[in-house]
Amino acid sequence: MAMQSPTERDAWSGKLGFVLAAAGSAIGLGNIWRFPYMAGEGGGGAFVFIYLVCVLTIGVPVLFAELSIGRATERNPIGAFKKLAPGSWWPALGALGVFTGFAILAFYAVIAGWTVGYFWMALTGTFGPDVDAAASGEIFTSFIGTAGPAVGLTGFFLIVTALVVRRGISGGIERAAKILMPVLLGVLFLLLIRALTLPGAGAGLEYLLRPDLSEVTPTVVVLALGQALFSMSLGMGAMITYGSYFPKKDSLPFAGTAVALADMGIALLAGLVIFPALFSAGLDPSGGPGLVFVVLPTVFAQMPFGGFFATLFFASLAIAALTSTISLMEVVVAYLVDDREWPRKKAATMVAIGCFVLAVPSALSQGANPYLSTFLGETWLDIQNIIWGNYGLSIGAILICLFVGFRWGTDKMLDFVELGGNPLPGRGLFGFMVKFVCPLAIGVVLAFIIVTGQYF
Ligand code: PHE
C-alpha cells in the first residue's frame, strides 16, 4: 500500500466503495419512511410513476452535475466553488450547501433517533397483538413527545454518526457502508417475502404499481420532484463531496447510474413491503408522516412473528438513516478539514456537538414543549424541513445547474464525468437538461411552493 503524504487527500478505495457510500447517502429515511407516505398521499401508482420520471429526467442530470464538480476540484462544496470561480459570489452557494447539510442533519437526526427508539420497542415486545390503531397512535405521540428519549436518542445518533465520520473516507464511511448496505438489502428482502405472502397482498401491489394518470395533479408533481431531490441527496453538495473522493480512473457514468438505480430500487422495495402489508390489514395508505411509525406497528401486531419482523424493519430504517446522516455530517467536516485545516477527528466532534444544540428544539417540538410544537402554527421540526429541506435543496439545486450551465460550462462537466475514457451515453442531452430543463423544472416547483404554501 502506498504511503499517504500528509497533504494527500483520502479517497474511496474504488468504484464499489463509492457506489455503496453514495447509495448509502441517497438511501435513507427518504426511501423507507418518506417515500411510502408521499406515495400514499399522491395516489399510489400515479405518484410512483411521476417520481420515476423526475428521478430520470431531473435527478440524474443534477446528480452528475454535482459529482463532476466534486471530481474536478477534489474539494468540499465551498472549496469547490472557490476553485472553479475564484473571486466570485459562487462560493456562497457552497456555503449555502454546507449550512443546509448542517441544518438538515439537525432535524434528520431527530427522526433517526425515533427509529432507534422504535427498534428498541419492537425488540422488547411493545407492539403485542393488542396494539390497535388508537393504541399505536398513543405510543407514537407519547414517545416523540417525551423530552428525555427524544433528545437522548438524537444525541445518540449524532455520536454514532461522528464515530464513523472521524475515521475518514475509506476507513470510516466506506467501511460502514460496505457492512450496512448489504444488511439493509438483506433485511428488506426478508420483509418483502413476508409482505408478499400475506393474504390480500395483491391489492397493495396494484395500488403501488398501477398508475392512475387521472390522479396526477400539480401537487403530485411537486411532491414527486421534491422527493426525488431529497432522496438522491441533491441540492446541498453531498454529492459534490462524495464525488470529490472518486478515483480518477474509474467510470463515473457507471457509478452514478448505479447510485440512482439503487436509490430508486430501494424506494420501490420499501413500497413493496409496506403497501401489501397495509392493504392486507385493511388500512388506509394515506396516513401521512405517521405511516411507518403508527400504522405499521398495527400491521406487525396482527402478523405471525410480527415482533420479529417489526424489529427487523426498524433496524433497517435506522441503518438507512445512519448512512445518510454520515453523508450530511461529512459535507460539513470536509469543509472544516479542506479549507480550515482542522484535524478530521476534531471536526467531526465539533460538528456533532453543534448539530446537537441545533437539534434540541426540533427534538422538543413534537409535543414535549408546547411553544416549539406550535411555532407559527407548525412544529419547529416541520419549519426546519420547510426552510432547509424544501427551500434550501431546491434553491441549491437550481443554482448548481445554473453554475454548470452558464459559468463553468456543461462541456467541462461532461469531460469530468467521462474522465478516464468512460463515455456517458446521451452526453449532449445531459448538457441540455442541466442547463435548461432542470433549473426550469425545479424553479417551477419552487414557485409553486412559494405561492401555494404546499410543501414537499
Ligand atoms: N437522501 C437522504 C434520504 O433519502 C437524505 C439526505 C438529503 C441526505 C440530503 C443527504 C443530503 O434519506
Side-chain angles (χ1 to χ4, degrees):
M1 212 167 94
M3 283 285 289
Q4 271 200 358
S5 74
T7 50
E8 197 171 319
R9 217 158 160 265
D10 200 355
W12 311 114
S13 67
K15 213 166 39 199
L16 179 69
F18 164 82
V19 170
L20 289 175
S25 167
I27 296 163
L29 295 172
N31 304 58
I32 308 177
W33 165 68
R34 201 172 189 274
F35 174 79
Y37 84 72
M38 288 275 154
E41 284 176 358
F47 173 87
V48 174
F49 176 72
I50 302 294
Y51 162 76
L52 294 180
V53 171
C54 289
V55 168
L56 296 174
T57 57
I58 312 291
V60 172
V62 178
L63 175 67
F64 277 115
E66 287 204 25
L67 291 173
S68 68
I69 294 174
R71 198 182 202 191
T73 57
E74 300 184 38
R75 283 289 172 278
N76 66 88
I78 298 180
F81 288 106
K82 276 195 210 151
K83 209 160 166 178
L84 293 179
S88 72
W89 277 95
W90 287 108
L93 170 56
L96 174 70
V98 171
F99 197 81
T100 302
F102 187 69
I104 289 181
L105 180 57
F107 72 83
Y108 197 95
V110 174
I111 303 165
W114 300 349
T115 69
V116 177
Y118 263 69
F119 165 74
W120 184 252
M121 285 196 271
L123 190 68
T124 52
T126 309
F127 308 115
D130 51 336
V131 173
D132 58 11
S136 180
E138 253 165 56
I139 292 174
F140 182 62
T141 321
S142 92
F143 172 68
I144 66 173
T146 311
V151 174
L153 289 170
T154 304
F156 171 76
F157 216 88
L158 287 169
I159 291 172
V160 176
T161 305
L163 287 176
V164 176
V165 171
R166 69 207 295 274
R167 303 179 73 113
I169 303 308
S170 51
I173 300 180
E174 179 176 328
R175 193 184 300 170
K178 279 186 168 160
I179 299 167
L180 296 175
M181 296 312 285
V183 173
L184 173 66
L185 197 66
V187 170
L188 284 176
F189 265 110
L190 253 182
L191 290 166
L192 179 71
I193 294 169
R194 171 68 281 191
L196 293 184
T197 51
L198 288 168
L205 289 183
E206 185 151 328
Y207 177 78
L208 190 71
L209 299 178
R210 179 169 299 166
D212 173 358
L213 293 183
S214 69
E215 296 228 22
V216 177
T217 58
T219 307
V220 169
V221 178
V222 169
L223 293 181
L225 182 54
Q227 172 65 17
L229 284 182
F230 183 82
S231 184
M232 295 176 77
S233 306
L234 297 175
M236 40 75 60
M239 291 300 170
I240 295 181
T241 309
Y242 274 24
S244 77
Y245 305 118
F246 194 77
K248 284 280 172 265
K249 54 180 196 328
D250 282 323
S251 168
L252 192 57
F254 171 85
T257 308
V259 171
L261 290 179
D263 186 52
M264 236 160 46
I266 297 287
L268 287 177
L269 190 54
L272 291 176
V273 169
I274 289 164
F275 287 99
L278 279 183
F279 276 76
S280 163
L283 294 168
D284 180 8
S286 60
L291 189 65
V292 308
F293 290 109
V294 178
V295 183
L296 272 193
T298 67
V299 175
F300 289 124
Q302 297 165 28
M303 172 189 283
F305 305 107
F308 172 70
F309 288 106
T311 310
L312 281 186
F313 177 79
F314 288 108
S316 76
L317 207 52
I319 290 171
L322 179 61
T323 49
S324 297
T325 54
I326 288 171
S327 72
L328 288 160
M329 187 178 283
E330 174 58 24
V331 173
V332 191
V333 167
Y335 163 68
L336 295 170
V337 171
D338 289 345
D339 286 31
R340 297 282 167 133
E341 291 174 10
W342 285 25
R344 171 169 283 274
K345 292 198 164 85
K346 172 183 164 194
T349 308
M350 299 306 284
V351 172
I353 294 172
C355 213
F356 178 69
V357 172
L358 204 68
V360 168
S362 284
L364 295 177
S365 73
Q366 301 299 303
N369 179 299
Y371 177 69
L372 291 165
S373 306
T374 53
F375 193 85
L376 300 174
E378 305 265 359
T379 75
W380 181 260
L381 192 155
D382 287 329
I383 292 177
Q384 299 306 303
N385 175 48
I386 291 170
I387 300 176
W388 306 108
N390 281 254
Y391 288 109
L393 295 185
S394 42
I395 293 172
I398 293 171
L399 292 175
I400 288 169
C401 292
L402 295 179
F403 173 79
V404 171
F406 296 94
R407 166 90 198 213
W408 192 38
T410 51
D411 271 337
K412 292 238 182 59
M413 161 193 155
L414 294 162
D415 290 346
F416 278 101
V417 172
E418 295 184 330
L419 197 69
N422 303 289
L424 179 68
R427 178 184 159 112
L429 184 62
F430 269 96
F432 178 76
M433 297 303 281
V434 169
K435 193 164 179 174
F436 300 110
V437 179
C438 300
L440 202 70
I442 305 168
V444 169
V445 164
L446 181 63
F448 182 91
I449 62 177
I450 292 174
V451 171
T452 63
Q454 282 190 41
Y455 300 99
F456 54 72

